[in-house]
Amino acid sequence: MSTSNTPESGGPTAAPRALSAREPHVPAERLVAEMVPPPRFDTVRFDTYIPDPGQPSQHAAVKALDEFAAGLGGAHVSGAGRRGLWPRRPRRQAPPEPRGMYLDGGFGVGKTHLLASLWHATPAAPGLKAFGTFVELTNLVGALGFQQTVRTLSGHRLLCIDEFELDDPGDTVLVSSLLGRLVAEGVALAATSNTLPGRLGEGRFAAADFLREIQGLAGHFRTLRIDGEDYRHRGLPQAPAPRSDAEVTRVAHAVPGASLDDFGELLAHLARVHPSRYGALCDGVPAVCLTGVRPVPDQSTALRLVVLADRLYDREIPVLASGVPFDRLFGEEMLNGGYRKKYFRAISRLTALARDAAPLAERA
């Protein structure tokens, strides 16, 4: 559903610079300005999403989201504005419709494509609608502070949150409070995830202890289930086999601007760089070359790698690697644990980027 950038090789170039040698700085204002769909999803629209004929839920989701976007065309009215000047006696009535859409489904069914299409279809200026991953949203709160984040986003018509995940109790309370405040200010919400909103955090922390917050989050959304198989591998051959160290190094030197890293050194560097800066870490890099890829040793390292894989995929940066295949990055215990959906998404995306990188090796 989108094409990758495949930079032309131009003969020998200056020695490639390692991602692990980069120390990006991202000011808070850049975090806000970049809350738009990433390059891979800059041109997607509802009519470029191709529903699988065998999955009626995909067509139904397009229709529901298109109608939702059309309904956001009116003037922005804050929660305070709706309440009026004088308090009224509560009346018995049906609870209001959730002011949000929650796209639930497996990886690779086009949820991010649909979320970005909703952003593009919403009749509001870019500065009045925001798009970011769950990690980027929590990073924004860390950079601006809670109250300033509320003030920054409260005038928006729509907030889109991709890859909605709750990995710890602190995030549960933080996001529950933030979204509650934004909904009260009239901000519409849309989110994607591989987990139903009422089951967020399940298998990762004592979700039962935070049931009130989780149920509060679920109340903001109408869930749209999107079934189907991973489009990235639908009808395509298996991912290309890993290359040799020598071949990866040769390609890195032949492609202007490509990075070259030892996989272990890159993982160590990710531990020193905040995940909010992983996108900036890749700025201007047309291809990532990795030598010595091997299974990730622990869960903290694995989760950082998932974020990097998401940023590389968003930016359509091909990945050429030696070592073990990407489907062996995460051990059985990780793939059977609470973060398994994140790991499968990372494998899926890295596999697609490895396929994008195959022409580089052929031309170099």
Side-chain angles (χ1 to χ4, degrees):
M1 289 191 288
S2 60
T3 58
S4 66
N5 57 343
T6 51
E8 296 291 338
S9 61
T13 65
R17 187 181 181 192
L19 293 180
S20 56
R22 295 181 166 211
E23 297 284 351
H25 172 68
V26 183
E29 54 268 23
R30 174 175 168 177
L31 294 177
V32 177
E34 291 186 345
M35 292 194 75
V36 297
R40 179 178 286 270
F41 300 99
D42 187 45
T43 61
V44 300
R45 298 294 186 271
F46 288 132
D47 59 5
T48 65
Y49 180 85
I50 304 175
D52 184 340
Q55 302 291 346
S57 62
Q58 295 186 8
H59 178 77
V62 173
K63 183 175 184 295
L65 290 170
D66 196 19
E67 293 173 351
F68 184 67
L72 298 178
H76 178 90
V77 181
S78 71
R82 286 194 300 271
R83 286 192 292 271
L85 296 176
W86 304 103
R88 297 180 179 179
R89 183 185 301 275
R91 294 181 298 174
R92 289 186 180 180
Q93 57 184 7
E97 276 289 307
R99 191 170 169 77
M101 288 289 194
Y102 194 98
L103 311 185
D104 174 65
F107 49 89
V109 296
K111 299 187 302 296
T112 303
H113 183 134
L114 290 173
L115 188 69
S117 298
L118 172 63
W119 188 92
H120 289 298
T122 297
L128 295 178
K129 50 187 177 180
F131 184 107
T133 65
F134 181 83
V135 170
E136 288 168 334
L137 181 62
T138 55
N139 289 340
L140 183 66
V141 177
L144 299 183
F146 183 84
Q147 296 299 337
Q148 183 58 40
T149 301
V150 172
R151 286 191 290 269
T152 299
L153 298 178
S154 62
H156 284 55
R157 188 159 294 165
L158 173 69
L159 171 61
C160 294
I161 309 169
D162 200 19
E163 301 154 16
F164 201 114
E165 297 283 356
L166 294 180
D167 296 339
D168 62 62
D171 281 347
T172 303
V173 176
L174 173 70
V175 175
S176 177
S177 300
L178 176 63
L179 298 189
R181 289 282 297 274
L182 294 178
V183 168
E185 292 296 330
V187 180
L189 306 174
T192 72
S193 182
N194 299 318
T195 306
L196 288 169
R199 300 179 67 181
L200 289 165
E202 190 173 89
R204 280 159 283 185
F205 63 91
D209 295 339
F210 296 87
L211 188 60
R212 177 178 175 183
E213 284 80 7
I214 293 171
Q215 289 177 337
L217 284 170
H220 297 315
F221 297 100
R222 169 192 169 190
T223 299
L224 293 177
R225 175 68 189 178
I226 304 176
D227 300 301
E229 60 179 319
D230 188 342
Y231 77 88
R232 287 182 285 268
H233 312 304
R234 192 186 301 159
L236 294 174
Q238 283 189 317
R243 309 285 174 157
S244 67
D245 286 354
E247 187 174 14
V248 171
T249 301
R250 175 173 58 82
V251 172
H253 282 82
V255 177
S259 65
L260 176 62
D261 286 87
D262 171 78
F263 187 65
E265 291 179 3
L266 177 59
L267 293 183
H269 186 61
L270 293 180
R272 299 187 292 269
V273 177
H274 194 276
S276 65
R277 294 185 280 160
Y278 287 6
L281 194 69
C282 307
D283 280 352
V285 177
V288 167
C289 298
L290 302 173
T291 59
V293 173
R294 55 187 182 272
V296 179
D298 59 80
Q299 192 137 262
S300 295
T301 303
L303 290 172
R304 287 191 288 268
L305 181 59
V306 167
V307 177
L308 179 64
D310 288 338
R311 300 293 78 77
L312 292 173
Y313 183 77
D314 288 345
R315 288 158 175 77
E316 303 182 287
I317 300 175
V319 179
L320 193 74
S322 67
V324 302
F326 286 134
D327 60 4
R328 288 172 51 193
L329 277 173
F330 310 107
E332 287 299 318
E333 184 175 350
M334 291 183 187
L335 294 179
N336 292 323
Y339 298 104
R340 60 189 177 276
K341 292 178 180 178
K342 284 190 171 187
Y343 299 143
F344 281 118
R345 183 181 77 232
I347 291 170
S348 171
R349 291 184 164 186
L350 288 171
T351 296
L353 296 177
R355 187 179 293 121
D356 290 346
L360 299 179
E362 296 168 3
R363 291 197 300 265

